[in-house]
């Protein structure tokens, strides 16, 4: 069975450019999460969707970050404009429902902003 | 607020050695507790969990017991293998969907 699929796996871009990260959750999962992982701050929850609706975006760093989930099988995280401090690994995860049982993580998108 | 404190790494062991990774938590309610593992180049995956005091989670030879009196959830394995080399994350949830992760402990097992 396919797990959570993220793309791209690696992205190198220059400061000021727009970055779009993509995620396909596991079919049938109703909850989707975007996390950011850095050495300094560890794993941080950026945004949580349930049934395609954003429920909690309190972790989104600032207006440069936006996330959408137009349907149950696709989500994007966009950074515009990107800055060097955005360099991190971004993980998408999905689960069957809002009550935490098991989160299934993708392999992550490693972003480097020069 | 909720938080998780993990033993700092890195931890380096020989094969067949005993592994313990300490985890303590602070929470306002009665959280569920988890251990996730991240193998090199991969996303996190759930290793084990416990949802109430005195529960023991176990998987792949790893165990952890939810100790409310000491607010701890230490991870143990009696005999590690090279394939156990990974980063281990302790986490808690008492708000449904929201997980609070520890900083992670890097474990390296040498043959």
């Amino acid at each position: 069975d396919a797990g959570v699929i993220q793309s791209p796996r690696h992205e190198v871009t220059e400061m000021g450019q727009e970055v779009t990260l993509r995620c396909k959750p596991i079919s049938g999962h109703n909850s989707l999460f975007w996390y950011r992982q850095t050495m300094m701050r560890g794993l941080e929850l950026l945004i949580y969707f349930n049934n395609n609706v954003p429920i909690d975006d309190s972790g989104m760093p600032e207006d440069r970050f936006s996330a959408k989930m137009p349907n149950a099988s696709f989500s994007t995280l966009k950074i515009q404009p990107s800055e060097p401090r955005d360099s991190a690994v971004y993980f998408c995860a999905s689960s069957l429902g809002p009550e935490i049982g098991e989160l299934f993580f993708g392999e992550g998108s490693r972003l480097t902003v020069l | 607020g909720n938080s998780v404190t993990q033993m700092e790494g890195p931890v380096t062991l020989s094969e067949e050695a005993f592994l313990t990774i300490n985890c303590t938590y602070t929470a306002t309610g009665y959280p569920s507790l988890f251990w996730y593992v991240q193998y090199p180049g991969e996303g996190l995956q759930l290793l084990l969990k416990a949802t109430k005091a005195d529960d023991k989670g176990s998987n792949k030879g790893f165990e952890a017991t939810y100790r409310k009196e000491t607010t701890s959830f230490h991870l143990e394995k009696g005999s590690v293998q090279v394939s156990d080399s990974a980063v281990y994350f302790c986490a808690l949830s008492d708000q449904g969907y929201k997980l609070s992760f520890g900083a992670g402990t890097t474990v390296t097992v040498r043959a």
Side-chain angles (χ1 to χ4, degrees):
Chain A
D1 290 341
V4 175
I5 299 172
Q6 291 187 245
S7 64
R9 291 295 311 277
H10 302 275
E11 175 89 10
V12 180
T13 190
E14 294 192 346
M15 184 172 64
Q17 296 298 306
E18 177 179 295
V19 173
T20 299
L21 307 179
R22 298 171 178 80
C23 174
K24 177 179 168 56
I26 292 173
S27 177
H29 282 192
N30 297 324
S31 294
L32 184 138
F33 306 79
W34 282 100
Y35 281 87
R36 179 171 65 176
Q37 184 180 40
T38 61
M39 290 293 293
M40 291 298 294
R41 300 174 67 92
L43 272 161
E44 303 171 279
L45 176 64
L46 299 178
I47 187 167
Y48 157 60
F49 291 88
N50 188 48
N51 291 323
N52 313 336
V53 176
I55 303 299
D56 181 355
D57 66 354
S58 59
M60 296 287 264
E62 48 200 271
D63 291 346
R64 297 184 298 106
F65 285 69
S66 62
K68 294 183 180 179
M69 192 165 185
N71 57 62
S73 58
F74 185 65
S75 178
T76 60
L77 178 67
K78 186 176 293 187
I79 308 172
Q80 166 64 18
S82 58
E83 297 182 2
R85 60 189 167 125
D86 302 329
S87 298
V89 180
Y90 292 82
F91 286 103
C92 177
S94 69
S95 69
L96 281 169
E99 289 298 315
I100 285 286
E102 178 173 359
L103 286 187
F104 292 80
F105 282 78
E107 293 183 325
S109 295
R110 181 176 294 276
L111 173 65
T112 303
V113 183
L114 303 175
Chain B
N2 298 333
S3 67
V4 173
T5 302
Q6 276 183 247
M7 138 185 187
E8 290 191 15
V11 174
T12 303
L13 302 163
S14 298
E15 258 191 327
E16 300 183 4
F18 185 87
L19 170 67
T20 299
I21 304 176
N22 289 341
C23 171
T24 57
Y25 68 88
T26 302
T28 52
Y30 300 94
S32 295
L33 301 172
F34 307 84
W35 278 100
Y36 277 79
V37 59
Q38 184 179 26
Y39 299 105
E42 298 184 11
L44 282 73
Q45 53 186 276
L46 180 66
L47 181 59
L48 53 84
K49 67 179 182 182
T51 58
K52 61 182 188 297
D54 300 325
D55 269 1
K56 177 186 283 188
S58 61
N59 187 25
K60 298 182 180 179
F62 290 88
E63 292 184 342
T65 302
Y66 187 161
R67 300 284 188 203
K68 186 166 178 255
E69 63 276 11
T70 55
T71 61
S72 65
F73 193 54
H74 304 322
L75 182 69
E76 297 181 335
K77 185 173 185 181
S79 177
V80 293
Q81 305 300 313
V82 172
S83 57
D84 293 324
S85 298
V87 183
Y88 293 82
F89 293 89
C90 187
L92 72 82
S93 172
D94 72 353
Q95 294 181 39
Y97 63 89
K98 189 169 280 190
L99 274 174
S100 298
F101 285 93
T105 302
T106 300
V107 173
T108 302
V109 180
R110 295 185 172 167

